[in-house]
Amino acid sequence: MEENNRQLKSIWGKWWEPIRKWFYPAWLGYETSIRFYDYSLSVHRYFIKQKDDIASYIGGIGTQTLDIFCSVGTFVVCTLFLTVPACFVLYKFFEIENLTSSPFESKLKPIF
């Protein structure tokens, strides 16, 4: 019974274990940054389409300023409040051996 109750090895080998705690958070950061960059481009495209309507209220320079502020703000807010905490949690998940003390974690970690 004890011989069947052993920890599985990573499918990538032993050399992968020290790398994965940096790779997965970096990959998550890259993927979410690309997605949030696309969100900020969508905000920019919205302001371009509505430029004439908005310019009648705040002028051309005000519209461009609002466009830049909202586009950059969208990217920064999403990155600070979503990407950075998610990457930190993922890093801690792989750094600490038994973070949640759940059987699901002990089954999941060796696969990755």
Side-chain angles (χ1 to χ4, degrees), residues 30-61:
Y30 169 75
E31 290 292 329
T32 54
S33 295
I34 295 298
R35 178 68 57 199
F36 296 144
Y37 177 72
D38 188 42
Y39 290 167
S40 65
L41 282 179
S42 297
V43 170
H44 172 69
R45 287 186 200 114
Y46 173 79
F47 278 110
I48 294 297
K49 287 182 182 176
Q50 303 296 326
K51 184 176 184 178
D52 294 331
D53 296 333
I54 297 171
S56 65
Y57 293 108
I58 59 175
I61 300 294

Side-chain angles (χ1 to χ4, degrees), residues 36-93:
F36 296 144
Y37 177 72
D38 188 42
Y39 290 167
S40 65
L41 282 179
S42 297
V43 170
H44 172 69
R45 287 186 200 114
Y46 173 79
F47 278 110
I48 294 297
K49 287 182 182 176
Q50 303 296 326
K51 184 176 184 178
D52 294 331
D53 296 333
I54 297 171
S56 65
Y57 293 108
I58 59 175
I61 300 294
T63 303
Q64 289 176 348
T65 304
L66 183 64
D67 176 18
I68 291 170
F69 178 75
C70 290
S71 297
V72 171
T74 299
F75 181 77
V76 168
V77 166
C78 288
T79 300
L80 288 179
F81 290 107
L82 298 172
T83 302
V84 173
C87 291
F88 178 73
V89 167
L90 191 59
Y91 173 78
K92 285 297 185 184
F93 178 75

